[in-house]
Amino acid sequence: MIRFLPLAVLIATPLLARDPRIATRLYNPSDIVTVHGHTGIQSTIEFGDDEHIDNIAIGDSSSWQVTPNKHASIVFVKPMMTSARTNMTVVTDRRTYLFDLVATPVGTPLYVMRFTYPPNPRPVVAIAPPAAPTQLTPQVAEKTPETTPADLHFDWATSGSKQLLPMRAFDDGKSTWLAWPKDASMPAILQREPDGQEGPVNYRVQGDYVVVDGVPPQLVLRQGKLVATLAPALRRASDPPSPAGAQTASARP
């Protein structure tokens, strides 16, 4: 015999619902993630198990308290004022995260934010990589852009920790191409603004290269306490490409 539960019992049974104070976001380097905070409430931001925080920059440190944990995998944020808004950039040894920190006296505060990650990089729709200049080895020639050597500039100056510097660095006037050894850990890539502030860059992975959008006046590479910089030589529109024998980042010892 089939027995039916009274309607009142069904209505009284609580439904399982996700707690709105706990959020999960799919990581996208182009997204700006908003963190809603309340005074007296601490919010926790968790990053990937395989990455560690290298640098945290906040626009207004007087109105927000920001503290990483000992293992540099979690950040605790707490507003110090009832209404406050600023931005925060977190650079790890694998990714760059952009946040808006918003404190309001109303609404639901965030307790925990966790990130999930795509299993593979998004496919890049682009022209075939430029052909390697004559001074590169045949193996590299198969994976560099399909342009002539006259289109490429190798006159990039480098300084800082050699451990972070790429083994090849050049640009085609529109993008900057960087390549590290396959067994090397890629550092965080930032660009230094004219006012001295450092910010994230847009880049994609194409073959063995990290391709940075545009030709920044200075790139900053960071990994832990190690720092290195790369900068293109000053050029005029009529300047010829650097000669094959010139010393560049692609031929550093």
Side-chain angles (χ1 to χ4, degrees), residues 14-36:
L15 297 177
L16 296 177
R18 183 177 63 86
D19 193 320
R21 295 169 297 181
I22 299 177
T24 302
R25 290 289 299 266
L26 178 65
Y27 173 76
N28 184 326
S30 300
D31 285 350
I32 299 176
V33 180
T34 300
V35 175
H36 293 281

Side-chain angles (χ1 to χ4, degrees), residues 138-149:
Q139 180 181 2
V140 176
E142 297 175 358
K143 300 180 180 180
T144 52
E146 263 302 321
T147 61
T148 66

Side-chain angles (χ1 to χ4, degrees), residues 69-209:
N69 70 329
K70 181 178 179 180
H71 298 288
S73 59
I74 295 174
V75 171
F76 305 105
V77 299
K78 181 170 63 175
M80 308 304 293
M81 304 174 64
T82 303
S83 296
R85 181 166 188 161
T86 189
N87 71 312
M88 179 177 70
T89 301
V90 178
V91 180
T92 73
D93 53 3
R94 293 179 62 86
R95 304 174 180 93
T96 298
Y97 299 78
L98 305 176
F99 296 94
D100 264 339
L101 305 182
V102 181
T104 60
V106 297
T108 302
L110 176 73
Y111 277 28
V112 178
M113 173 169 288
R114 300 185 178 101
F115 285 92
T116 58
Y117 304 91
N120 296 303
R122 292 183 301 171
V124 177
V125 179
I127 60 172
T134 55
Q135 65 266 34
L136 296 182
T137 63
Q139 180 181 2
V140 176
E142 297 175 358
K143 300 180 180 180
T144 52
E146 263 302 321
T147 61
T148 66
D151 298 321
L152 305 179
H153 298 275
F154 289 83
D155 46 351
W156 278 73
T158 63
S159 64
S161 173
K162 293 185 178 180
Q163 180 178 335
L164 303 185
L165 292 173
M167 61 182 181
R168 288 184 292 277
F170 60 91
D171 72 89
D172 56 11
K174 297 179 180 179
S175 303
T176 303
W177 298 69
L178 308 173
W180 281 268
K182 291 185 177 180
D183 58 348
S185 177
M186 194 182 80
I189 306 173
L190 306 168
Q191 63 178 342
R192 182 166 291 161
E193 306 295 343
D195 60 1
Q197 297 293 319
E198 295 178 7
V201 297
N202 293 323
Y203 68 86
R204 66 184 186 275
V205 177
Q206 187 165 333
D208 290 342
Y209 285 88

